[in-house]
């Protein structure tokens, strides 16, 4: 019996005056990779943001459970501490905070343990090497002047350094060239193991080359319109979303 990590039940959520998610239910076990597909504007990013506790969204109904505990009242940092990680569709630039400092602070905040600078730096350099990132990036301000692809790669660096239990990846592969998608996909597959899970929003099946999708959910206008195994990805690629409407 697999251990349940995330459970969402009949989730209704949105912004002031607008319902975006209209009854989403979803369950992710440890060790699994789930993929969320859906046309632009169907509510995919909203779902990720609501799971992470983004204050801009309001949950009107339904529950979000993480390891059996209702987390819907928790702040984003409290959810991060429980082991939830969100990689943004459009990562923010943070002038004045270097990549290394941000990562060290984030890991200390999540684990509650002091990081020894030299050991941390060594691990960071090694991890950056696996993502083919130049070591000089660790001294640069977070995402400032980074290309789209570098920002996405930096999100995977965060994933590998923070080692959450649940990785929410919102189009981490979009806008990347073929080689960069391979690197991102390799990074996610290095992260993934039997004790964690990934929920991946993508339009590009290449990110799944190094990962086996256990379950696919298609979001259409704020509801799950279809669910299935990896074969659903092929069907959508072939026939589009129109058949599901
Ligand atoms: P997706 O990620 O599937 O493309 P989103 O979750 O970003 O879709 O958006 C779903 C819908 O909700 C869109 O119509 C979008 O304009 C709207 N929406 C999302 N966030 C906000 C917000 N903060 N304020 C107003 N509308 C929003
Ligand atoms: Mg989106």
């Amino acid at each position: 019996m697999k251990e349940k990590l995330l459970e969402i039940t009949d989730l209704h959520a949105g912004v002031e005056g607008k319902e975006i998610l209209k009854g989403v239910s979803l369950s992710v076990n440890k060790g699994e990779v789930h993929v969320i597909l859906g046309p632009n504007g169907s509510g995919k990013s909203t779902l990720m943001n609501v799971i992470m506790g983004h204050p801009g969204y309001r949950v009107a109904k339904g529950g979000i459970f993480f390891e059996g505990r209702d987390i819907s009242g928790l702040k984003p940092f409290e959810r991060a501490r429980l082991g939830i990680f969100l990689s943004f569709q459009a990562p923010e630039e943070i002038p004045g905070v270097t990549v290394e400092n941000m990562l060290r602070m984030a890991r200390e905040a999540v684990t509650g343990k002091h990081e020894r600078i030299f050991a941390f730096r060594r691990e960071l350099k090694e991890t950056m090497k696996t993502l083919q990132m130049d070591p000089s990036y660790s001294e640069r301000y977070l995402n400032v002047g980074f290309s789209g692809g570098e920002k996405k790669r930096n999100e995977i660096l965060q994933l590998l350094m923070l080692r959450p239990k649940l990785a929410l990846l919102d189009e981490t592969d979009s806008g990347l060239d073929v080689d960069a998608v391979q690197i991102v996909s390799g990074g996610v597959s290095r992260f993934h193991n039997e004790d964690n899970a990934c929920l991946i929003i993508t339009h590009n099946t290449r990110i799944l080359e190094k990962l086996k999708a256990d379950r696919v959910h298609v979001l259409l206008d704020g509801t799950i319109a279809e669910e299935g195994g990896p074969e659903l990805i092929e069907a959508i690629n072939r026939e589009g979303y129109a058949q599901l409407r």
Side-chain angles (χ1 to χ4, degrees), residues 107 123 127 130-131 155-164 186-188 190-192:
R107 198 152 86 175
E123 184 186 335
T127 310
T130 68
L131 296 170
E155 295 287 296
I156 299 303
L157 178 64
Q158 292 177 27
L159 175 70
L160 289 168
M161 293 298 290
L162 297 178
R163 296 189 290 269
V188 178
R190 263 196 308 286
F191 157 76
H192 183 53

Side-chain angles (χ1 to χ4, degrees), residues 70-88:
D70 183 357
I71 59 163
S72 44
L74 299 186
K75 299 212 161 25
F77 80 88
E78 293 169 317
R79 300 184 199 209
R81 226 171 250 172
L82 291 180
I84 307 178
F85 170 89
L86 172 61
S87 154
F88 295 102

